[in-house]
Amino acid sequence: MKRTDYIKWDEYFMGIARLSAERSKDNSTQVGACIVNKDKKIVAVGYNGMPTGCDDDEMPWERTGDDPLETKYPFVCHAELNAILNSNIGNLAGCTLYVTLFPCNECAKAIIQSGIKRIVYYENKYADSESVKASSMLFRKCGVETEAYVPSGKKIILDM
Ligand SMILES: [Zn+2]
């Protein structure tokens, strides 16, 4: 008889996004992303981090500072952008992005330009921010579907 407690596709892809977030060095926000093509094949993963070549130990990770250059914001590459740029296929047209946090307006532009047509997000805690209002507007105008991940209640514990 077939096993019945296997994880569903949405749990699998959001699980990979959440696992990817565990790679982030950011103390306050860990975001992960997983891009899937129409055949349910994973074509990219990413998490928020400093650009390749920047020493994580030398870069600022603060959220506030008198000088913006002493904060992480000008430097960190978001999970969605990293996933798009790390993709192992040339064309993401028609793909779905699973992401742990609703994309910001900067990532929205990259998502739209890449051809990704659907976004499944785990949480949207900055829904009232200008950035997320802008990204929502861009997605709506450009025909990118966004949907909240529906929690299944399943817990996965991995002994590593
Ligand atoms: Zn972003």
Side-chain angles (χ1 to χ4, degrees):
M1 207 184 0
K2 191 178 85 170
R3 187 172 160 240
T4 54
D5 65 342
Y6 59 92
I7 58 173
K8 306 293 177 283
W9 285 116
D10 269 4
E11 292 170 326
Y12 180 47
F13 299 134
M14 190 56 83
I16 302 263
R18 297 199 63 191
L19 188 63
S20 301
E22 293 296 317
R23 281 281 308 154
S24 175
K25 320 291 188 307
D26 192 324
N27 264 315
S28 49
T29 308
Q30 302 85 39
V31 181
C34 174
I35 302 175
V36 178
N37 73 9
K38 290 174 197 153
D39 300 324
K40 297 197 182 321
K41 288 179 179 165
I42 295 168
V43 296
V45 291
Y47 55 89
N48 56 318
M50 292 295 170
T52 307
C54 289
D55 187 335
D56 288 329
D57 295 321
E58 290 174 5
M59 300 302 286
W61 290 99
E62 313 311 317
R63 299 177 74 183
T64 54
D66 295 334
D67 183 348
L69 295 181
E70 288 169 2
T71 73
K72 64 181 176 176
Y73 295 108
F75 309 111
V76 167
C77 191
H78 286 181
E80 304 93 311
L81 187 59
N82 268 332
I84 289 167
L85 297 173
N86 290 343
S87 160
N88 55 20
I89 57 170
N91 186 355
L92 297 177
C95 285
T96 294
L97 166 72
Y98 287 80
V99 64
T100 59
L101 181 63
F102 195 95
C104 75
N105 65 304
E106 291 298 329
C107 289
K109 294 179 244 178
I111 290 164
I112 291 161
Q113 296 305 76
S114 77
I116 289 170
K117 279 293 172 222
R118 181 170 163 256
I119 297 167
V120 182
Y121 59 92
Y122 188 81
E123 61 179 351
N124 188 7
K125 58 183 175 181
Y126 303 120
D128 294 331
S129 70
E130 299 301 317
S131 169
V132 169
K133 283 180 189 166
S135 56
S136 301
M137 183 177 140
L138 284 171
F139 292 142
R140 214 166 38 244
K141 285 186 181 292
C142 301
V144 176
E145 274 176 59
T146 58
E147 59 184 80
Y149 175 78
V150 179
S152 63
K154 192 175 184 82
K155 291 219 184 307
I156 299 170
I157 296 166
L158 302 171
D159 289 323
M160 306 299 295

